[in-house]
């Protein structure tokens, strides 16, 4: 199932970032607010992942609305635990959205553990939304 909104709807969905990395008035900010009220720390919010910005300044993308986020791989397991702990306390639509990210982060947490055991470094996750 493709959950990506049509290009015209993406601008409204992602909104414009405000200080702290959240996009004011978007579905992701709504999800973050409900998860935060249930106990998920803001630093583990979904908006923090997808809207935190690139690690370096990038050129203006033109007529698209790309968003890039980064997240420390070492915190992936913490992200999963925090979100799974509150799933029963949030609305089904919020849970459904969060589950997509939890699934990805669970995989990354397992990869992080495997990398540590193999003495490799996988330190940052990158997210691109366009």
């Amino acid at each position: 199932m493709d959950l990506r909104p049509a290009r015209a709807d993406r601008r409204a969905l992602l909104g414009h970032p405000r200080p702290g990395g959240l996009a004011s008035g978007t579905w992701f900010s709504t999800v973050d607010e409900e998860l935060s009220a249930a106990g998920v720390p803001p630093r583990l919010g979904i908006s923090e992942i997808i809207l935190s910005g690139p690690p370096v300044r990038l050129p203006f993308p033109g007529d698209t609305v790309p968003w890039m986020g980064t997240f420390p791989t070492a915190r992936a397991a913490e992200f999963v635990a925090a979100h799974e702990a509150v799933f029963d306390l949030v609305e089904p639509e919020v849970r459904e959205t969060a589950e997509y990210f939890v699934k990805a982060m669970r995989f990354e947490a397992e990869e992080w553990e495997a990398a540590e055991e193999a003495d490799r470094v996988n330190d940052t996750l990158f997210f691109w939304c366009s």
Side-chain angles (χ1 to χ4, degrees):
M1 172 172 38
D2 186 358
L3 296 177
R4 294 176 298 172
R7 178 180 288 277
D9 296 334
R10 288 186 216 163
R11 286 185 174 91
L13 177 68
L14 292 174
H16 296 284
R18 67 179 190 220
L22 296 178
S24 178
T26 69
W27 174 243
F28 293 119
S29 65
T30 300
V31 169
D32 281 346
E33 288 167 9
E34 187 164 338
L35 290 168
S36 179
V40 174
R43 66 187 177 81
L44 298 175
I46 292 170
S47 292
E48 186 63 30
I49 293 173
I50 63 172
L51 301 174
S52 61
V56 297
R57 186 167 171 83
L58 297 175
F60 182 71
D63 191 30
T64 63
V65 183
W67 292 94
M68 183 178 203
T70 58
F71 191 78
T73 309
R75 290 191 356 219
E78 181 183 7
F79 178 94
V80 171
H83 285 78
E84 287 181 337
V86 301
F87 275 168
D88 292 337
L89 305 175
V90 298
E91 294 295 323
E93 298 85 4
V94 169
R95 178 182 176 148
E96 183 180 349
T97 298
E99 283 176 336
Y100 287 102
F101 290 91
V102 166
K103 181 179 177 181
M105 288 302 214
R106 185 178 298 112
F107 172 81
E108 294 300 339
E110 293 167 1
E111 287 292 307
W112 170 259
E113 289 177 20
E116 277 195 321
E117 290 172 9
D119 206 25
R120 294 188 324 257
V121 177
N122 295 344
D123 60 354
T124 306
L125 300 171
F126 293 89
F127 295 86
W128 176 266
C129 302
S130 65

Short mmCIF file of all heavy atoms in Angstrom, two decimals, residues 71-127:
data_model
loop_
_atom_site.label_atom_id
_atom_site.label_comp_id
_atom_site.label_asym_id
_atom_site.label_seq_id
_atom_site.Cartn_x
_atom_site.Cartn_y
_atom_site.Cartn_z
N PHE A 71 19.16 10.79 12.39
CA PHE A 71 18.87 10.26 13.72
C PHE A 71 20.02 9.33 14.10
O PHE A 71 20.46 8.51 13.27
CB PHE A 71 17.55 9.48 13.69
CG PHE A 71 17.03 9.11 15.04
CD1 PHE A 71 16.37 10.06 15.82
CD2 PHE A 71 17.17 7.84 15.54
CE1 PHE A 71 15.88 9.74 17.07
CE2 PHE A 71 16.68 7.50 16.78
CZ PHE A 71 16.03 8.45 17.55
N PRO A 72 20.53 9.43 15.33
CA PRO A 72 21.62 8.54 15.75
C PRO A 72 21.16 7.08 15.81
O PRO A 72 20.19 6.76 16.49
CB PRO A 72 21.99 9.04 17.14
CG PRO A 72 21.33 10.37 17.30
CD PRO A 72 20.17 10.38 16.36
N THR A 73 21.84 6.23 15.11
CA THR A 73 21.47 4.80 15.07
C THR A 73 21.49 4.19 16.46
O THR A 73 20.68 3.32 16.77
CB THR A 73 22.42 4.03 14.13
OG1 THR A 73 22.48 4.71 12.88
CG2 THR A 73 21.94 2.62 13.90
N ALA A 74 22.37 4.66 17.32
CA ALA A 74 22.48 4.11 18.67
C ALA A 74 21.19 4.30 19.48
O ALA A 74 20.95 3.58 20.44
CB ALA A 74 23.66 4.75 19.41
N ARG A 75 20.33 5.25 19.08
CA ARG A 75 19.09 5.50 19.80
C ARG A 75 17.89 4.78 19.18
O ARG A 75 16.75 4.96 19.62
CB ARG A 75 18.81 7.00 19.88
CG ARG A 75 19.79 7.69 20.79
CD ARG A 75 19.49 9.12 21.15
NE ARG A 75 18.37 9.76 20.55
CZ ARG A 75 18.38 11.04 20.14
NH1 ARG A 75 19.46 11.76 20.26
NH2 ARG A 75 17.30 11.58 19.63
N ALA A 76 18.10 3.96 18.17
CA ALA A 76 16.99 3.27 17.50
C ALA A 76 16.23 2.36 18.45
O ALA A 76 14.99 2.37 18.46
CB ALA A 76 17.50 2.49 16.29
N ALA A 77 16.93 1.60 19.27
CA ALA A 77 16.25 0.70 20.21
C ALA A 77 15.46 1.50 21.25
O ALA A 77 14.35 1.11 21.63
CB ALA A 77 17.26 -0.21 20.91
N GLU A 78 16.00 2.63 21.68
CA GLU A 78 15.30 3.51 22.62
C GLU A 78 14.02 4.06 21.98
O GLU A 78 12.97 4.13 22.62
CB GLU A 78 16.22 4.65 23.03
CG GLU A 78 15.63 5.61 24.02
CD GLU A 78 16.55 6.77 24.34
OE1 GLU A 78 17.62 6.93 23.72
OE2 GLU A 78 16.16 7.55 25.23
N PHE A 79 14.09 4.42 20.71
CA PHE A 79 12.93 4.90 19.96
C PHE A 79 11.85 3.83 19.95
O PHE A 79 10.68 4.11 20.24
CB PHE A 79 13.36 5.26 18.54
CG PHE A 79 12.24 5.73 17.66
CD1 PHE A 79 11.98 7.08 17.52
CD2 PHE A 79 11.44 4.83 16.96
CE1 PHE A 79 10.93 7.53 16.71
CE2 PHE A 79 10.41 5.27 16.15
CZ PHE A 79 10.15 6.63 16.02
N VAL A 80 12.22 2.60 19.61
CA VAL A 80 11.26 1.49 19.54
C VAL A 80 10.61 1.27 20.90
O VAL A 80 9.38 1.19 21.00
CB VAL A 80 11.96 0.20 19.04
CG1 VAL A 80 11.03 -1.00 19.18
CG2 VAL A 80 12.42 0.37 17.60
N ALA A 81 11.41 1.19 21.94
CA ALA A 81 10.86 0.92 23.28
C ALA A 81 9.91 2.03 23.73
O ALA A 81 8.84 1.75 24.28
CB ALA A 81 12.01 0.76 24.28
N ALA A 82 10.28 3.28 23.50
CA ALA A 82 9.45 4.41 23.93
C ALA A 82 8.10 4.41 23.22
O ALA A 82 7.07 4.67 23.84
CB ALA A 82 10.19 5.72 23.69
N HIS A 83 8.11 4.13 21.93
CA HIS A 83 6.86 4.16 21.17
C HIS A 83 5.98 2.94 21.47
O HIS A 83 4.77 3.07 21.64
CB HIS A 83 7.15 4.27 19.67
CG HIS A 83 7.56 5.64 19.28
ND1 HIS A 83 8.84 6.12 19.50
CD2 HIS A 83 6.88 6.66 18.71
CE1 HIS A 83 8.90 7.36 19.07
NE2 HIS A 83 7.73 7.72 18.59
N GLU A 84 6.59 1.77 21.55
CA GLU A 84 5.80 0.58 21.84
C GLU A 84 5.16 0.65 23.23
O GLU A 84 4.07 0.13 23.43
CB GLU A 84 6.65 -0.68 21.71
CG GLU A 84 6.96 -1.01 20.27
CD GLU A 84 7.79 -2.27 20.10
OE1 GLU A 84 8.51 -2.66 21.06
OE2 GLU A 84 7.74 -2.85 19.00
N ALA A 85 5.79 1.34 24.16
CA ALA A 85 5.27 1.45 25.52
C ALA A 85 3.97 2.25 25.58
O ALA A 85 3.19 2.08 26.53
CB ALA A 85 6.32 2.09 26.43
N VAL A 86 3.72 3.10 24.59
CA VAL A 86 2.53 3.95 24.64
C VAL A 86 1.49 3.61 23.57
O VAL A 86 0.47 4.29 23.47
CB VAL A 86 2.90 5.45 24.54
CG1 VAL A 86 3.84 5.84 25.68
CG2 VAL A 86 3.49 5.79 23.19
N PHE A 87 1.72 2.59 22.77
CA PHE A 87 0.79 2.26 21.69
C PHE A 87 -0.64 2.08 22.19
O PHE A 87 -1.59 2.46 21.51
CB PHE A 87 1.24 1.01 20.94
CG PHE A 87 2.23 1.27 19.84
CD1 PHE A 87 2.89 0.22 19.25
CD2 PHE A 87 2.51 2.55 19.40
CE1 PHE A 87 3.81 0.45 18.23
CE2 PHE A 87 3.42 2.79 18.39
CZ PHE A 87 4.07 1.73 17.80
N ASP A 88 -0.84 1.51 23.35
CA ASP A 88 -2.20 1.29 23.86
C ASP A 88 -2.85 2.57 24.38
O ASP A 88 -4.04 2.57 24.69
CB ASP A 88 -2.19 0.24 24.97
CG ASP A 88 -1.84 -1.14 24.45
OD1 ASP A 88 -2.02 -1.38 23.23
OD2 ASP A 88 -1.37 -1.98 25.23
N LEU A 89 -2.09 3.66 24.46
CA LEU A 89 -2.59 4.90 25.02
C LEU A 89 -2.96 5.95 23.97
O LEU A 89 -3.44 7.01 24.31
CB LEU A 89 -1.54 5.51 25.97
CG LEU A 89 -1.04 4.60 27.09
CD1 LEU A 89 0.09 5.29 27.86
CD2 LEU A 89 -2.18 4.21 28.02
N VAL A 90 -2.71 5.65 22.70
CA VAL A 90 -2.93 6.64 21.65
C VAL A 90 -4.02 6.18 20.68
O VAL A 90 -4.37 5.01 20.63
CB VAL A 90 -1.62 6.95 20.87
CG1 VAL A 90 -0.58 7.56 21.81
CG2 VAL A 90 -1.07 5.73 20.19
N GLU A 91 -4.53 7.13 19.92
CA GLU A 91 -5.56 6.85 18.92
C GLU A 91 -5.03 5.87 17.87
O GLU A 91 -3.83 5.89 17.54
CB GLU A 91 -6.00 8.14 18.24
CG GLU A 91 -6.71 9.11 19.17
CD GLU A 91 -8.03 8.56 19.68
OE1 GLU A 91 -8.74 7.88 18.92
OE2 GLU A 91 -8.35 8.83 20.85
N PRO A 92 -5.89 5.03 17.30
CA PRO A 92 -5.46 4.05 16.30
C PRO A 92 -4.72 4.66 15.10
O PRO A 92 -3.75 4.08 14.61
CB PRO A 92 -6.76 3.38 15.85
CG PRO A 92 -7.70 3.57 16.99
CD PRO A 92 -7.32 4.89 17.62
N GLU A 93 -5.14 5.85 14.63
CA GLU A 93 -4.48 6.47 13.49
C GLU A 93 -3.06 6.89 13.83
O GLU A 93 -2.15 6.79 13.01
CB GLU A 93 -5.27 7.69 12.99
CG GLU A 93 -6.67 7.37 12.50
CD GLU A 93 -7.71 7.33 13.63
OE1 GLU A 93 -7.38 7.63 14.80
OE2 GLU A 93 -8.86 6.97 13.32
N VAL A 94 -2.87 7.36 15.04
CA VAL A 94 -1.54 7.76 15.50
C VAL A 94 -0.66 6.52 15.64
O VAL A 94 0.49 6.51 15.20
CB VAL A 94 -1.63 8.54 16.83
CG1 VAL A 94 -0.26 8.73 17.45
CG2 VAL A 94 -2.32 9.87 16.61
N ARG A 95 -1.22 5.49 16.22
CA ARG A 95 -0.47 4.23 16.37
C ARG A 95 -0.05 3.69 15.01
O ARG A 95 1.09 3.27 14.83
CB ARG A 95 -1.32 3.20 17.11
CG ARG A 95 -0.61 1.88 17.25
CD ARG A 95 -1.47 0.84 17.93
NE ARG A 95 -0.76 -0.43 17.94
CZ ARG A 95 -0.86 -1.32 18.88
NH1 ARG A 95 -1.63 -1.11 19.92
NH2 ARG A 95 -0.18 -2.44 18.80
N GLU A 96 -0.97 3.70 14.05
CA GLU A 96 -0.66 3.19 12.72
C GLU A 96 0.51 3.95 12.08
O GLU A 96 1.41 3.34 11.51
CB GLU A 96 -1.89 3.29 11.82
CG GLU A 96 -1.69 2.72 10.44
CD GLU A 96 -2.93 2.83 9.58
OE1 GLU A 96 -4.03 3.16 10.10
OE2 GLU A 96 -2.81 2.58 8.38
N THR A 97 0.50 5.26 12.20
CA THR A 97 1.60 6.06 11.67
C THR A 97 2.91 5.72 12.37
O THR A 97 3.93 5.49 11.73
CB THR A 97 1.29 7.57 11.82
OG1 THR A 97 0.13 7.87 11.05
CG2 THR A 97 2.46 8.41 11.34
N ALA A 98 2.86 5.67 13.69
CA ALA A 98 4.07 5.39 14.46
C ALA A 98 4.61 3.99 14.18
O ALA A 98 5.83 3.78 14.17
CB ALA A 98 3.79 5.56 15.95
N GLU A 99 3.73 3.03 13.92
CA GLU A 99 4.18 1.66 13.67
C GLU A 99 5.08 1.55 12.44
O GLU A 99 5.99 0.73 12.41
CB GLU A 99 2.97 0.72 13.54
CG GLU A 99 2.35 0.38 14.87
CD GLU A 99 1.10 -0.46 14.76
OE1 GLU A 99 0.41 -0.44 13.70
OE2 GLU A 99 0.77 -1.13 15.75
N TYR A 100 4.84 2.39 11.42
CA TYR A 100 5.71 2.36 10.24
C TYR A 100 7.14 2.75 10.62
O TYR A 100 8.11 2.14 10.17
CB TYR A 100 5.19 3.31 9.15
CG TYR A 100 3.97 2.77 8.44
CD1 TYR A 100 2.71 3.25 8.75
CD2 TYR A 100 4.08 1.78 7.48
CE1 TYR A 100 1.59 2.76 8.12
CE2 TYR A 100 2.96 1.28 6.84
CZ TYR A 100 1.71 1.78 7.17
OH TYR A 100 0.61 1.27 6.54
N PHE A 101 7.26 3.75 11.47
CA PHE A 101 8.59 4.19 11.90
C PHE A 101 9.21 3.21 12.88
O PHE A 101 10.41 2.96 12.83
CB PHE A 101 8.50 5.59 12.50
CG PHE A 101 8.21 6.64 11.47
CD1 PHE A 101 6.90 6.99 11.17
CD2 PHE A 101 9.24 7.25 10.77
CE1 PHE A 101 6.63 7.94 10.19
CE2 PHE A 101 8.97 8.20 9.80
CZ PHE A 101 7.67 8.54 9.50
N VAL A 102 8.41 2.65 13.75
CA VAL A 102 8.91 1.67 14.71
C VAL A 102 9.46 0.45 13.98
O VAL A 102 10.51 -0.09 14.34
CB VAL A 102 7.83 1.29 15.74
CG1 VAL A 102 8.21 0.05 16.53
CG2 VAL A 102 7.56 2.47 16.66
N LYS A 103 8.76 0.01 12.95
CA LYS A 103 9.23 -1.14 12.18
C LYS A 103 10.61 -0.87 11.58
O LYS A 103 11.52 -1.69 11.68
CB LYS A 103 8.23 -1.47 11.06
CG LYS A 103 8.62 -2.67 10.23
CD LYS A 103 7.57 -2.95 9.17
CE LYS A 103 8.00 -4.10 8.29
NZ LYS A 103 7.02 -4.39 7.24
N ALA A 104 10.78 0.30 10.99
CA ALA A 104 12.07 0.67 10.41
C ALA A 104 13.14 0.78 11.49
O ALA A 104 14.27 0.31 11.32
CB ALA A 104 11.96 1.98 9.64
N MET A 105 12.79 1.39 12.61
CA MET A 105 13.77 1.57 13.68
C MET A 105 14.13 0.25 14.36
O MET A 105 15.26 0.08 14.82
CB MET A 105 13.24 2.56 14.72
CG MET A 105 13.23 3.97 14.20
SD MET A 105 14.88 4.50 13.71
CE MET A 105 14.78 6.18 14.15
N ARG A 106 13.19 -0.68 14.43
CA ARG A 106 13.51 -1.99 14.98
C ARG A 106 14.58 -2.67 14.13
O ARG A 106 15.54 -3.24 14.65
CB ARG A 106 12.25 -2.87 15.07
CG ARG A 106 12.51 -4.20 15.76
CD ARG A 106 11.26 -5.05 15.90
NE ARG A 106 10.26 -4.39 16.72
CZ ARG A 106 9.09 -3.93 16.26
NH1 ARG A 106 8.77 -4.06 14.99
NH2 ARG A 106 8.23 -3.35 17.07
N PHE A 107 14.41 -2.59 12.81
CA PHE A 107 15.42 -3.14 11.90
C PHE A 107 16.77 -2.47 12.15
O PHE A 107 17.81 -3.12 12.23
CB PHE A 107 14.98 -2.97 10.45
CG PHE A 107 16.04 -3.33 9.46
CD1 PHE A 107 16.27 -4.65 9.12
CD2 PHE A 107 16.84 -2.34 8.88
CE1 PHE A 107 17.27 -4.99 8.22
CE2 PHE A 107 17.84 -2.68 7.99
CZ PHE A 107 18.06 -4.00 7.65
N GLU A 108 16.76 -1.14 12.26
CA GLU A 108 18.01 -0.40 12.46
C GLU A 108 18.65 -0.72 13.80
O GLU A 108 19.88 -0.77 13.92
CB GLU A 108 17.78 1.11 12.32
CG GLU A 108 17.39 1.53 10.92
CD GLU A 108 18.43 1.19 9.85
OE1 GLU A 108 19.62 0.99 10.18
OE2 GLU A 108 18.04 1.12 8.68
N ALA A 109 17.85 -0.95 14.83
CA ALA A 109 18.38 -1.33 16.13
C ALA A 109 19.09 -2.68 16.05
O ALA A 109 20.18 -2.87 16.61
CB ALA A 109 17.27 -1.38 17.17
N GLU A 110 18.49 -3.61 15.31
CA GLU A 110 19.13 -4.93 15.12
C GLU A 110 20.42 -4.78 14.32
O GLU A 110 21.43 -5.43 14.62
CB GLU A 110 18.16 -5.87 14.42
CG GLU A 110 16.97 -6.24 15.29
CD GLU A 110 15.86 -6.93 14.52
OE1 GLU A 110 15.99 -7.16 13.29
OE2 GLU A 110 14.83 -7.23 15.15
N GLU A 111 20.41 -3.93 13.30
CA GLU A 111 21.62 -3.68 12.51
C GLU A 111 22.72 -3.05 13.38
O GLU A 111 23.89 -3.35 13.23
CB GLU A 111 21.31 -2.76 11.32
CG GLU A 111 20.53 -3.45 10.22
CD GLU A 111 21.36 -4.52 9.53
OE1 GLU A 111 22.48 -4.23 9.07
OE2 GLU A 111 20.88 -5.66 9.46
N TRP A 112 22.31 -2.14 14.26
CA TRP A 112 23.27 -1.48 15.15
C TRP A 112 23.96 -2.52 16.03
O TRP A 112 25.18 -2.50 16.19
CB TRP A 112 22.55 -0.43 16.01
CG TRP A 112 23.39 0.13 17.11
CD1 TRP A 112 23.34 -0.21 18.43
CD2 TRP A 112 24.43 1.12 17.00
NE1 TRP A 112 24.27 0.51 19.14
CE2 TRP A 112 24.95 1.33 18.29
CE3 TRP A 112 24.96 1.83 15.94
CZ2 TRP A 112 25.97 2.23 18.54
CZ3 TRP A 112 25.98 2.73 16.19
CH2 TRP A 112 26.47 2.92 17.47
N GLU A 113 23.17 -3.42 16.61
CA GLU A 113 23.74 -4.47 17.47
C GLU A 113 24.69 -5.35 16.69
O GLU A 113 25.78 -5.68 17.16
CB GLU A 113 22.63 -5.30 18.10
CG GLU A 113 21.85 -4.55 19.16
CD GLU A 113 20.72 -5.38 19.73
OE1 GLU A 113 20.75 -6.63 19.60
OE2 GLU A 113 19.79 -4.78 20.29
N ALA A 114 24.30 -5.75 15.48
CA ALA A 114 25.17 -6.59 14.64
C ALA A 114 26.44 -5.84 14.27
O ALA A 114 27.54 -6.43 14.26
CB ALA A 114 24.42 -7.02 13.38
N ALA A 115 26.34 -4.56 13.98
CA ALA A 115 27.52 -3.77 13.62
C ALA A 115 28.47 -3.65 14.80
O ALA A 115 29.70 -3.75 14.63
CB ALA A 115 27.10 -2.38 13.14
N GLU A 116 27.93 -3.45 15.99
CA GLU A 116 28.79 -3.37 17.17
C GLU A 116 29.54 -4.68 17.41
O GLU A 116 30.71 -4.67 17.73
CB GLU A 116 27.97 -3.01 18.42
CG GLU A 116 27.71 -1.55 18.57
CD GLU A 116 27.24 -1.21 19.97
OE1 GLU A 116 26.46 -1.98 20.57
OE2 GLU A 116 27.67 -0.16 20.46
N GLU A 117 28.82 -5.80 17.24
CA GLU A 117 29.46 -7.10 17.43
C GLU A 117 30.55 -7.34 16.39
O GLU A 117 31.54 -7.99 16.68
CB GLU A 117 28.41 -8.21 17.36
CG GLU A 117 27.47 -8.21 18.55
CD GLU A 117 26.32 -9.18 18.39
OE1 GLU A 117 26.33 -10.00 17.43
OE2 GLU A 117 25.40 -9.14 19.22
N ALA A 118 30.36 -6.82 15.19
CA ALA A 118 31.35 -6.98 14.12
C ALA A 118 32.38 -5.85 14.13
O ALA A 118 33.20 -5.76 13.22
CB ALA A 118 30.64 -7.03 12.77
N ASP A 119 32.32 -4.98 15.13
CA ASP A 119 33.24 -3.85 15.26
C ASP A 119 33.17 -2.90 14.07
O ASP A 119 34.18 -2.40 13.60
CB ASP A 119 34.67 -4.36 15.49
CG ASP A 119 35.50 -3.34 16.24
OD1 ASP A 119 34.93 -2.51 16.96
OD2 ASP A 119 36.74 -3.37 16.08
N ARG A 120 31.94 -2.67 13.58
CA ARG A 120 31.69 -1.69 12.51
C ARG A 120 30.96 -0.50 13.11
O ARG A 120 30.38 -0.58 14.17
CB ARG A 120 30.81 -2.29 11.41
CG ARG A 120 31.43 -3.41 10.62
CD ARG A 120 30.56 -3.81 9.43
NE ARG A 120 29.13 -3.75 9.63
CZ ARG A 120 28.35 -4.80 9.85
NH1 ARG A 120 28.86 -6.00 9.90
NH2 ARG A 120 27.05 -4.64 10.01
N VAL A 121 30.97 0.60 12.38
CA VAL A 121 30.28 1.80 12.85
C VAL A 121 29.16 2.16 11.88
O VAL A 121 29.40 2.43 10.71
CB VAL A 121 31.27 2.98 12.97
CG1 VAL A 121 30.53 4.24 13.39
CG2 VAL A 121 32.38 2.65 13.95
N ASN A 122 27.94 2.12 12.37
CA ASN A 122 26.76 2.62 11.64
C ASN A 122 26.17 3.68 12.55
O ASN A 122 25.32 3.41 13.36
CB ASN A 122 25.73 1.51 11.41
CG ASN A 122 26.23 0.41 10.51
OD1 ASN A 122 27.21 0.59 9.82
ND2 ASN A 122 25.57 -0.71 10.53
N ASP A 123 26.62 4.92 12.41
CA ASP A 123 26.29 5.90 13.43
C ASP A 123 25.08 6.79 13.15
O ASP A 123 24.50 7.34 14.07
CB ASP A 123 27.49 6.77 13.75
CG ASP A 123 28.00 7.55 12.56
OD1 ASP A 123 27.51 7.33 11.45
OD2 ASP A 123 28.90 8.38 12.76
N THR A 124 24.66 6.93 11.90
CA THR A 124 23.60 7.88 11.60
C THR A 124 22.63 7.31 10.58
O THR A 124 23.04 6.74 9.58
CB THR A 124 24.18 9.20 11.05
OG1 THR A 124 25.15 9.70 11.97
CG2 THR A 124 23.11 10.24 10.84
N LEU A 125 21.34 7.52 10.85
CA LEU A 125 20.29 7.18 9.89
C LEU A 125 19.91 8.46 9.15
O LEU A 125 19.81 9.52 9.75
CB LEU A 125 19.07 6.64 10.60
CG LEU A 125 19.27 5.39 11.43
CD1 LEU A 125 18.04 5.11 12.26
CD2 LEU A 125 19.59 4.23 10.53
N PHE A 126 19.66 8.35 7.85
CA PHE A 126 19.25 9.49 7.05
C PHE A 126 17.86 9.23 6.50
O PHE A 126 17.56 8.14 6.04
CB PHE A 126 20.22 9.71 5.88
CG PHE A 126 21.59 10.14 6.33
CD1 PHE A 126 22.56 9.20 6.62
CD2 PHE A 126 21.89 11.48 6.47
CE1 PHE A 126 23.81 9.60 7.04
CE2 PHE A 126 23.14 11.88 6.90
CZ PHE A 126 24.10 10.94 7.18
N PHE A 127 17.02 10.25 6.55
CA PHE A 127 15.65 10.16 6.03
C PHE A 127 15.45 11.25 5.01
O PHE A 127 15.87 12.38 5.22
CB PHE A 127 14.63 10.32 7.17
CG PHE A 127 14.70 9.20 8.17
CD1 PHE A 127 15.59 9.24 9.22
CD2 PHE A 127 13.87 8.11 8.03
CE1 PHE A 127 15.66 8.20 10.12
CE2 PHE A 127 13.93 7.07 8.94
CZ PHE A 127 14.83 7.12 9.99
#
